[in-house]
């Protein structure tokens, strides 16, 4: 599991630990882990050109100390200071002592234009600049253009708002240079708490973060700027409270995924009821049933008017055209995909919500479900809106939901006392309490018609197998995302379900 904590929690834990260890210990640990990660990315350190962009805070300090460590291993290093008179004194001294070159981000004028010309550094001669947005005489631009690796230490958890003009210029030069980019703690310009970006942000290939993940590192759009996130343990773990967010990894999914055993029968594996599709949208029924079958359920009971379409594709499905309450034993219901919003849809959703088994409500089901009926339920309830559906349920604009997804998914879960899965490029799953689960396995190719219908059936099968709402929704989103990655692109939603068995983590195949 990847756990994420708020900036406030990180700061408090840091204070607790700092009171117990010698001064500078945390930054030394951070910089050591950062330098090791950089060395790993470079493969060979000796002779490589490394540039650190260092802002005025401790994030810049981390970058400078790491740069000094890389210089000691033979890299040609250049520190680019955004605020030369306020740069981290210890970090700067370390770079100088290691023979690094130090230049001022604002200085033009080519070689010697820096605030200091170190001896062992990579003496870029300024004339080789030429990265977009950077004048040829710009010493910083020239160093960046020639770098193998750039460390982004402009700003970390102390950052407020978007990048400032100097930093914007450097970020553009970095993007144009082709150097590998490692963000220190966070890509500069992204919001640590929410994953929002205000204007420009640094695009990294990897982010080395300290102590714990920050929510913004795992949530889009920031997650797309962070590249591969890595965690360096600096010892604050024992002082951190419960996380605000977490992201399942393969091992977590493997531990949660049910698999049949020798004693299994269809009811132990779980029977899913699907109330979906209509004369107008029979395909939604077929897709939801496909997800339910491939999710591992023991049997699927389909109830509705698209039974012929379902049976034509899945002869193993048990279909009926009656009412959900007369369908026979069901251990979880999926209600809503392609159901329409007529009076009849309202009635069948109400009937499903009244059942004392787990229920997932999606799509049209969300539009016709009675809020009080949702709130009154005692068995697990999972709602799977996209941003527009969540906005309608909350009575806010869709743009508000999209801009602050974390806040809105939490609010909806609390208001409706249910597990809410908010679809998006990073899908978020919130229960009324506890950490928000972030799913990072998705791909933009999944935004295709019917993809959500497959997801609802898949989650329904996990609910029927006995997983709780939060686990069923997050494991379902995880597998659905991987299935999207495994399918040749572009794909139609009908191709998704067949990929689910292929992406189950190792060891979950059952016997
Ligand atoms: N906590 C921990 O456990 C540990 C933390 N560690 C490290 O410390 C980092 C936090 O350090 P921090 O508190 O000094 O803040 P930081 O992110 O460097 O930025 C603040 C400075 O940036 C400036 N600034 C603000 N906004 C800006 C913008 N948009 N664009 C440009 N500049 C902007 C602002 O200056 P001002 O506004 O005064 O100009 C201020 O001086 C953390 O991310 C991690 O790397 C590790 O060493 C080990 C343990
Ligand atoms: K940074």
């Amino acid at each position: 599991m990847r756990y994420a904590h708020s900036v406030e929690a990180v700061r408090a834990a840091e204070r607790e630990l700092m009171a117990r260890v010698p001064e500078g210990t945390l930054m030394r640990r951070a910089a050591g882990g950062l330098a090791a990660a950089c060395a790993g990315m470079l493969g060979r350190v000796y002779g490589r050109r490394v540039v650190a962009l260092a802002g005025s805070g401790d994030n810049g300090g981390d970058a400078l100390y790491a740069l000094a460590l890389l210089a000691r291993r033979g890299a040609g290093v250049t520190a680019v200071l955004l605020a030369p008179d306020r740069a981290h004194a210890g970090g700067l001294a370390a770079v100088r002592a290691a023979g690094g070159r130090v230049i001022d981000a604002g200085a033009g004028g080519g070689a010697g234009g820096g605030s200091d010309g170190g001896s062992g550094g990579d003496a870029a001669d300024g004339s080789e600049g030429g990265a977009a947005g950077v004048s040829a005489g710009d010493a910083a631009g020239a160093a960046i253009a020639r770098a193998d690796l750039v460390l982004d230490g402009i700003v970390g958890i102390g950052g407020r708002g978007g990048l400032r003009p100097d930093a914007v210029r450097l970020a553009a030069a970095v993007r144009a240079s082709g150097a590998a980019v490692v963000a220190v703690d966070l890509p500069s310009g992204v919001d640590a708490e929410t994953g929002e970006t205000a204007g420009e942000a640094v695009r990294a290939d990897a982010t080395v973060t300290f102590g714990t993940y920050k929510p913004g590192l795992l949530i889009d759009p920031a997650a797309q700027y962070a590249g591969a996130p890595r965690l360096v343990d600096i010892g604050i773990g024992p002082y951190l409270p419960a996380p605000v967010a977490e992201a399942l990894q393969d091992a977590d999914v493997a531990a949660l995924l049910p698999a049949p055993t020798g004693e299994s029968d269809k009811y132990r594996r779980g029977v899913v009821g699907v109330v979906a599709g209509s004369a107008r949208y029979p395909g939604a029924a077929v897709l939801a049933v496909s997800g339910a079958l491939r999710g591992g359920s023991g049997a699927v009971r389909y109830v509705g008017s698209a039974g012929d379409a379902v049976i034509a594709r899945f002869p193993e499905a048990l279909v009926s055209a009656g009412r959900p309450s007369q369908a026979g034993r069901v251990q979880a219901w999926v209600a809503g995909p392609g159901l329409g919003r007529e009076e009849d849809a309202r009635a069948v959703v109400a009937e499903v919500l009244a059942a004392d088994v787990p229920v997932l409500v999606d799509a049209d089901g969300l539009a016709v479900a009675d809020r009080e009926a949702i709130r009154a339920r005692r068995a697990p309830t999972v709602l799977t809106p996209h941003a527009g559906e969540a906005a309608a349920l909350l009575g806010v604009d869709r743009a508000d939901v999209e801009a602050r997804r974390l806040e809105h998914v939490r609010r909806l879960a609390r208001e409706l006392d249910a597990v809410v899965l908010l679809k998006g490029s990073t899908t978020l799953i919130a229960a009324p309490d506890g950490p928000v689960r972030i799913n990072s396995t998705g791909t933009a190719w999944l935004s295709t018609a019917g993809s959500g219908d497959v997801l609802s059936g898949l989650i329904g099968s996990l609910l029927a197998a006995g997983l709780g709402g939060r686990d069923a929704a997050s494991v379902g989103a995880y597998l659905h995302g991987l299935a999207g990655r495994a399918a040749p692109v572009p794909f139609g939603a009908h191709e998704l379900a067949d990929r689910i068995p292929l992406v189950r983590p190792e060891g979950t195949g059952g016997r």
Side-chain angles (χ1 to χ4, degrees), residues 120-335:
D122 172 28
D125 71 4
S127 61
E128 293 186 35
V134 180
S135 73
D138 182 322
I144 290 168
R146 300 180 56 189
D148 296 304
L149 180 74
V150 174
L151 284 173
D152 158 31
I154 299 173
V155 73
I157 57 174
R160 295 286 168 269
L163 293 179
R164 295 173 188 166
D166 250 9
V168 169
R169 201 170 50 85
L170 291 175
V174 169
R175 199 165 303 159
S177 79
V181 182
V182 173
V184 181
D185 210 16
L186 286 168
S188 301
V190 310
D191 187 292
E193 308 282 15
T194 64
E196 292 156 40
T197 48
E200 292 260 0
V202 172
R203 253 179 214 284
D205 298 293
T207 295
V208 178
T209 200
F210 307 124
T212 179
Y213 292 95
K214 321 302 180 286
L217 271 180
L218 306 176
I219 301 175
D220 279 339
Q224 293 178 24
Y225 289 80
R230 304 182 192 189
L231 182 66
V232 169
D233 183 5
I234 55 169
I236 61 173
Y239 308 101
L240 287 169
V244 290
E246 57 190 29
L248 297 180
Q249 304 298 296
D250 260 16
D252 307 300
V253 173
L256 287 166
L257 254 185
T261 64
E263 287 82 53
S264 290
D265 57 29
K266 71 182 179 199
Y267 288 109
R268 287 197 200 187
R269 290 180 58 186
V271 175
V272 192
V274 174
V275 177
S278 52
R280 194 156 166 223
Y281 304 114
V286 175
L287 293 168
V289 169
S290 76
L293 284 168
R294 287 305 203 177
S297 58
V300 179
R301 291 188 195 280
Y302 170 76
V303 182
S305 60
D308 288 348
V310 169
I311 210 86
R313 183 73 187 268
F314 300 112
E316 63 273 51
L318 308 160
V319 306
S320 72
R323 312 294 302 184
S325 54
Q326 293 154 358
R329 187 173 166 203
V330 156
Q331 286 148 295
W333 283 106
V334 171

